[in-house]
């Protein structure tokens, strides 16, 4: 008699050949995708902040407008001292993402096919890997947290250190840390008569320090110019839109085409548009029922999910990279939640039904995630994500980086600055020199084309040199603009990030001096 096929798959998924093989395939696919990915402004902002902060204190000073704690930037700082090329950030991100996948394949309780689908899913393969942001280190730390939860009372300091670091990776991870801490606190209260250790209290203190210091970093200055204010009004339409983010997070399948990023393929189907709120509530409901027997895990899930949804409602609705933390919370519960004690047993038939339902739900979700991940990577390879890289290559080839540069709009031009490895350019918006974008209210007024040209003229006269204009829009043929000695050089347009197409102009200062 041959052993059941399930036994064969179980042995295979635990073998080193499978673990290293799947991790290796993932590494090669991701390496190929990263090689073809053109970074955009949000990726470059972190690199420029780390590169152009002279020390840790300067970094924290620059970070006050960012809306995130500084862990990712602190990781990047030593990398920027080795090389000015932002490729160093991509290599670092590749290592982080591959480590995450290795831990998932080796330690997660998922089946062979669930692991396979997860590894090539939208978040591990694309959003938190190809795109270099602070969210990848958050996903890695959540996976470490899932592994450590089983040994939380034997190694409380390791768990506390993980939560400390996680709280400093992003504001969304901070919300998850707060929810997890509440669940761990409830779990300890339920078991405190059996467990007593000074290390647990020290660990709790470390977690609280992490939460408080992260909140301090997130406190914006009075002159902030991005995501200003809070929305405390009750708005049924806004509630509706916020709840829809659950289905968006759980079904991250983008459309085909150049503007795939952030799109939702399922929104093309009328039935999904009609029922996606019900689907979102069902996902939350099923997860809640599954976790009812483990009240500490339930507290983690309810508090974290509610916290994220409240944040999306009152502060910033965000994008798919932010909504993904709703799925990460689900992942934490279906994996890490198993480590919490179960206080009652459902009837056998119901328990068996719930287990089967969860297994089918998880497999189906991860399969759709894999479709989303592979679709996103294929689109990213096929289409230019941003023209910042190609624009910088053209500027270097023409030696235009040797003359003063004036750019507008600053957030788009910063992508080019990062690829140019240039110390600074003159940003017309905000009226200052710099590399990374300073998100204060000084830059929110905007500038006209005429003001940009006048600034180019001023910079040219001061430097006695021609000036390179980098714009993410074309200059119209208005009479006032025609009076300026400006020559169009080239344009690069048609990228996934629509406002990161660029128009290059040369302001002929020597001619301008004679006017």
């Amino acid at each position: 008699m041959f052993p059941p096929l399930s036994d064969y798959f179980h042995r295979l998924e635990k073998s080193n050949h499978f673990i290293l093989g799947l991790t290796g395939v993932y590494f090669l696919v991701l390496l190929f995708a990263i090689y073809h990915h053109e970074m955009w402004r949000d990726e470059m902002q972190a690199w420029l902040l780390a590169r152009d902060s002279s020390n840790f204190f300067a970094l924290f000073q620059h970070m006050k407008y960012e809306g995130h704690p500084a862990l990712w930037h602190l990781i990047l700082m030593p990398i920027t001292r080795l090389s000015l090329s932002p490729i160093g950030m991509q290599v670092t991100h590749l290592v982080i993402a591959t480590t995450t996948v290795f831990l998932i394949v080796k330690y997660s309780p998922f089946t062979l096919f669930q692991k396979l689908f997860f590894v090539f899913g939208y978040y591990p393969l694309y959003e938190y890997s190809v795109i270099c942001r602070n969210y990848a280190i958050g996903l890695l730390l959540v996976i470490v947290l899932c592994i450590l939860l089983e040994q939380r009372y034997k190694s409380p300091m390791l768990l506390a250190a993980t939560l400390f670091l996680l709280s400093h990776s992003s504001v969304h991870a901070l919300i998850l840390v707060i929810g997890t801490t509440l669940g761990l606190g409830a779990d300890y209260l339920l078991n405190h008569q059996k467990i007593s250790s000074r290390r647990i209290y020290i660990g709790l203190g470390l977690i609280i320090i992490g939460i408080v210091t992260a909140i301090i970093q997130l406190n914006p200055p009075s002159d902030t110019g991005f995501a200003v204010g809070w929305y405390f009004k009750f708005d049924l339409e806004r509630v509706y839109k916020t709840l829809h983010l659950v289905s968006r997070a759980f079904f991250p399948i983008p459309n085909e085409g150049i503007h795939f990023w952030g799109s939702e393929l399922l929104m093309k189907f009328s039935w999904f548009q009609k029922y996606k709120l019900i689907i979102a509530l069902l996902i939350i409901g099923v997860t809640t029922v599954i976790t009812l027997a483990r009240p500490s895990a339930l507290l983690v899930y309810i508090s974290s999910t509610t916290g994220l949804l409240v944040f999306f409602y009152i502060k910033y609705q965000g994008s798919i990279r932010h909504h993904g933390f709703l799925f990460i919370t689900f992942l934490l519960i279906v994996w890490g939640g198993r480590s919490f004690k179960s206080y009652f047993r459902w009837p056998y038939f119901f328990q068996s039904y719930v287990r089967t339902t969860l297994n089918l739900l998880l497999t189906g979700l991860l399969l759709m995630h894999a479709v989303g991940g592979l679709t996103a990577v294929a689109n990213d390879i096929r289409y230019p994500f941003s023209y910042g890289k190609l624009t910088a290559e053209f500027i270097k080839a023409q030696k235009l980086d040797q003359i003063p540069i004036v750019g507008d709009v600053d957030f788009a031009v910063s992508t080019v600055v990062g690829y140019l490895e240039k110390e600074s350019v003159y940003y017309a918006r905000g009226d200052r020199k710099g590399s990374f974008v300073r998100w204060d209210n000084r830059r929110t007024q905007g500038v006209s084309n005429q003001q940009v040209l006048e600034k180019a003229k001023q910079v040219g006269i001061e430097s006695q040199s021609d000036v390179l204009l980098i714009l993410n829009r074309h200059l119209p043929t208005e009479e006032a603009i025609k009076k300026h000695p400006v020559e169009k050089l080239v344009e690069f347009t048609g990228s996934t990030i629509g406002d990161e197409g660029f128009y290059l102009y040369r302001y002929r200062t020597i001619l301008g001096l004679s006017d």
Side-chain angles (χ1 to χ4, degrees), residues 260-476:
F260 69 94
W261 194 41
S263 63
E264 296 179 78
L265 177 66
L266 293 182
M267 285 298 288
K268 290 183 176 181
F269 302 98
S270 58
W271 63 266
F272 185 77
Q273 295 180 35
K274 184 177 181 180
Y275 295 112
K276 70 174 187 173
L277 179 60
I278 296 175
I279 293 170
L281 295 175
L282 279 174
I283 290 172
I284 294 175
V286 168
T287 310
T288 300
V289 170
I290 290 169
T291 319
L292 276 177
R294 294 179 168 84
S296 301
L298 180 62
L299 181 57
V300 173
Y301 179 67
I302 294 297
S303 57
S304 298
T305 300
T306 303
L308 287 166
L309 290 173
V310 168
F311 179 81
F312 294 142
Y313 180 87
I314 68 174
K315 186 60 177 175
Y316 185 54
Q317 290 269 298
S319 304
I320 186 67
R321 56 190 177 275
H322 310 122
H323 310 150
F325 276 83
L326 291 165
F327 180 76
I328 290 176
T329 301
F330 171 79
L331 172 68
L332 173 61
I333 294 307
V334 298
W335 178 354
R338 300 183 182 198
S339 300
F340 291 99
K341 183 179 177 182
S342 177
Y343 284 88
F344 65 88
R345 281 185 170 276
W346 296 101
Y348 176 78
F349 73 91
F350 183 78
Q351 188 172 345
S352 176
Y353 175 78
V354 167
R355 189 184 301 115
T356 302
T357 301
L358 175 61
N359 194 49
L360 291 174
L361 173 65
L362 184 60
T363 303
L365 284 173
L366 295 180
L367 175 58
M368 285 188 280
H369 280 225
V371 172
L374 294 171
T375 301
V377 166
N379 282 324
D380 196 293
I381 293 171
R382 187 179 301 125
Y383 304 107
F385 196 77
S386 163
Y387 270 119
K389 182 179 181 180
L390 186 59
T391 302
E393 289 173 351
F394 177 87
I395 292 171
K396 287 181 179 180
Q398 300 297 318
K399 301 189 185 306
L400 294 169
D401 55 329
Q402 298 176 11
I403 62 176
I405 297 176
V406 173
D408 194 61
V409 176
D410 52 0
F411 57 69
V413 178
S414 65
T415 306
V416 183
V417 175
Y419 274 117
L420 282 176
E421 301 174 23
K422 196 170 178 65
E423 183 178 345
S424 66
V425 301
Y426 194 91
Y427 288 134
R429 184 174 295 206
D431 194 22
R432 58 195 167 207
K433 293 184 72 175
S435 58
F436 54 83
V437 179
R438 184 182 173 95
W439 297 100
D440 58 10
N441 56 19
R442 179 176 166 182
R443 60 167 301 282
T444 57
Q445 302 304 316
V447 291
S448 66
N449 291 326
Q450 185 65 27
Q451 288 173 306
V452 171
L453 291 169
E454 289 295 337
K455 181 54 65 176
K457 180 178 180 179
Q458 177 188 336
V459 171
I461 292 173
E462 291 173 355
S463 62
Q464 291 292 293
S465 168
D466 287 355
V467 175
L468 175 65
L469 277 172
I470 306 177
L471 306 176
N472 69 338
R473 62 188 184 278
H474 72 90
L475 288 175

Side-chain angles (χ1 to χ4, degrees), residues 223-281:
D223 63 339
T224 186
F226 181 77
V228 179
W230 301 80
Y231 193 94
F232 290 112
K233 296 179 183 177
F234 179 76
D235 184 339
L236 197 57
E237 184 179 352
R238 192 175 176 92
V239 171
Y240 188 72
K241 288 181 179 178
T242 302
L243 288 174
H244 279 179
L245 300 181
V246 177
S247 60
R248 181 176 170 82
F250 276 77
F251 304 103
I253 307 175
N255 294 317
E256 290 283 349
I258 189 169
H259 298 300
F260 69 94
W261 194 41
S263 63
E264 296 179 78
L265 177 66
L266 293 182
M267 285 298 288
K268 290 183 176 181
F269 302 98
S270 58
W271 63 266
F272 185 77
Q273 295 180 35
K274 184 177 181 180
Y275 295 112
K276 70 174 187 173
L277 179 60
I278 296 175
I279 293 170
L281 295 175

Side-chain angles (χ1 to χ4, degrees), residues 145 149 152-153 159 163 176-193 195 200-201 203-205 207-208 211 295-301 303 340 343:
L145 173 62
L149 276 173
R152 59 190 177 279
Y153 292 120
L159 184 69
L163 288 168
L176 197 152
V177 168
I178 294 172
T180 302
T181 304
L182 291 174
L184 288 171
D187 185 69
Y188 179 71
L189 291 176
L190 291 170
N191 295 278
H192 73 282
Q193 292 180 341
I195 303 164
I200 292 175
Y201 295 108
L204 177 62
I207 296 170
I208 293 173
I211 293 172
S296 301
L298 180 62
L299 181 57
V300 173
Y301 179 67
S303 57
F340 291 99
Y343 284 88

Side-chain angles (χ1 to χ4, degrees), residues 91-238:
V91 172
T92 305
H93 213 255
L94 174 65
V95 172
I96 291 171
T98 304
T99 302
T100 301
V101 161
F102 172 78
L103 294 176
I104 289 169
V105 177
K106 183 172 177 62
Y107 293 105
S108 76
F110 306 140
T111 66
L112 183 145
F113 287 106
Q114 288 171 350
K115 290 178 180 179
L116 183 64
F117 296 152
F118 188 97
V119 163
F120 294 105
Y122 180 82
Y123 298 112
L125 183 63
Y126 187 72
E127 191 68 45
Y128 301 148
S129 53
V130 174
I131 299 176
C132 296
R133 291 299 306 277
N134 51 313
Y135 308 109
I137 190 68
L139 178 58
L140 171 60
L141 290 168
V142 168
I143 299 306
V144 173
L145 173 62
C146 289
I147 296 169
L148 291 176
L149 276 173
E150 193 171 351
Q151 303 295 324
R152 59 190 177 279
Y153 292 120
K154 293 182 180 178
S155 306
M157 294 306 296
L158 279 176
L159 184 69
T162 300
L163 288 168
F164 178 92
L165 293 173
L166 182 59
S167 66
H168 287 82
S169 63
S170 71
V171 62
H172 308 91
L174 173 62
I175 294 171
L176 197 152
V177 168
I178 294 172
T180 302
T181 304
L182 291 174
L184 288 171
D187 185 69
Y188 179 71
L189 291 176
L190 291 170
N191 295 278
H192 73 282
Q193 292 180 341
K194 303 175 185 177
I195 303 164
S196 181
S197 172
R198 199 170 75 176
R199 292 182 302 160
I200 292 175
Y201 295 108
I202 296 173
L204 177 62
L206 181 61
I207 296 170
I208 293 173
I209 290 172
I211 293 172
V212 171
T213 51
I215 291 173
I216 291 172
Q217 290 181 63
L218 294 172
N219 186 35
S222 58
D223 63 339
T224 186
F226 181 77
V228 179
W230 301 80
Y231 193 94
F232 290 112
K233 296 179 183 177
F234 179 76
D235 184 339
L236 197 57
E237 184 179 352
R238 192 175 176 92

